[in-house]
Amino acid sequence: MTQKLTFTTASVRNLVISNPTDTLYYEVLTPKWELHQTTVRRLDTHANRYDTVGSIRSQSSKPVAVSMYSGEFVNEELWLRKIEGQDQQSRWEFDDGEGNYFSWAVTGSNFEVRKYGVQSPTPIATFYPHRRHFMVTMVSQQAFLEIESSVVDSLDTVIGAVC
């Protein structure tokens, strides 16, 4: 069974990723007073508060760094490892800190996340970009991330890798 997480842009620097019932609700923020820092927060619906899932820091003189769960910032190349592939195809690998390894790669106009080391014809998460009527008019389909229910426990890390 899959869930559909819709991407909704509230402003240029604010993105919401949620399912229709908002039980899975993430907010991606880049405040104008901290343009070098993007924060990913998850809404805890039981406690009615936001928990910081991760932060991405991009300063002009330093490499991009990632922090998960308010931990130390690490170089993004250590967290999201690029693996060169055949025919100009590349993929990126990352782990959720609990021994689960994932890889994502661009497939057509979508990108897919797969559990690393598991040969499965279906990805555990697929990002579908928005679509427009006749490529120029109003949006006919919002961007969304379709996830397998098995990935919900590692969703914080998957969202961090997607953003």
Side-chain angles (χ1 to χ4, degrees), residues 22 34 61 92 102 105 114 133:
D22 288 342
E34 273 189 317
S61 62
W92 291 263
F102 303 94
R114 295 181 184 274
H133 291 287

Side-chain angles (χ1 to χ4, degrees), residues 2-162:
T2 62
Q3 290 201 38
K4 183 177 176 181
L5 303 178
T6 304
F7 285 58
T8 307
T9 304
S11 71
V12 175
R13 293 182 290 274
N14 188 354
L15 170 73
V16 172
I17 305 169
S18 64
N19 66 350
T21 61
D22 288 342
T23 53
L24 298 173
Y25 189 95
Y26 290 84
E27 189 173 53
V28 182
L29 301 166
T30 305
K32 68 173 130 179
W33 58 88
E34 273 189 317
L35 292 176
H36 66 280
Q37 180 111 0
T38 299
T39 304
V40 180
R41 303 184 316 168
R42 176 180 16 99
L43 178 64
D44 182 349
T45 54
H46 300 295
N48 207 19
R49 66 172 186 187
Y50 283 100
D51 295 325
T52 299
V53 171
S55 296
I56 303 165
R57 185 174 57 201
S58 177
Q59 294 174 318
S60 60
S61 62
K62 298 180 182 176
V64 175
V66 177
S67 167
M68 293 297 292
Y69 305 109
S70 301
E72 287 187 37
F73 278 93
V74 296
N75 188 321
E76 98 35 76
E77 291 176 354
L78 296 174
W79 187 73
L80 189 63
R81 298 166 298 280
K82 184 175 183 179
I83 310 298
E84 297 293 334
Q86 300 171 345
D87 303 327
Q88 305 294 336
Q89 283 278 32
S90 296
R91 63 185 166 86
W92 291 263
E93 294 178 353
F94 60 97
D95 67 88
D96 65 357
E98 296 180 6
N100 298 311
Y101 291 87
F102 303 94
S103 70
W104 67 263
V106 176
T107 307
S109 63
N110 307 329
F111 72 79
E112 300 176 343
V113 177
R114 295 181 184 274
K115 196 153 186 161
Y116 184 72
V118 177
Q119 296 297 328
S120 173
T122 59
I124 59 169
T126 305
F127 173 76
Y128 296 91
H130 73 277
R131 292 191 183 156
R132 294 185 177 273
H133 291 287
F134 304 111
M135 307 280 279
V136 292
T137 61
M138 295 182 62
V139 173
S140 62
Q141 172 186 294
Q142 287 184 306
F144 68 95
L145 182 67
E146 186 174 42
I147 61 165
E148 291 290 327
S149 57
S150 64
V151 78
V152 171
D153 293 337
S154 300
L155 191 56
D156 294 350
T157 307
V158 171
I159 295 286
V162 169

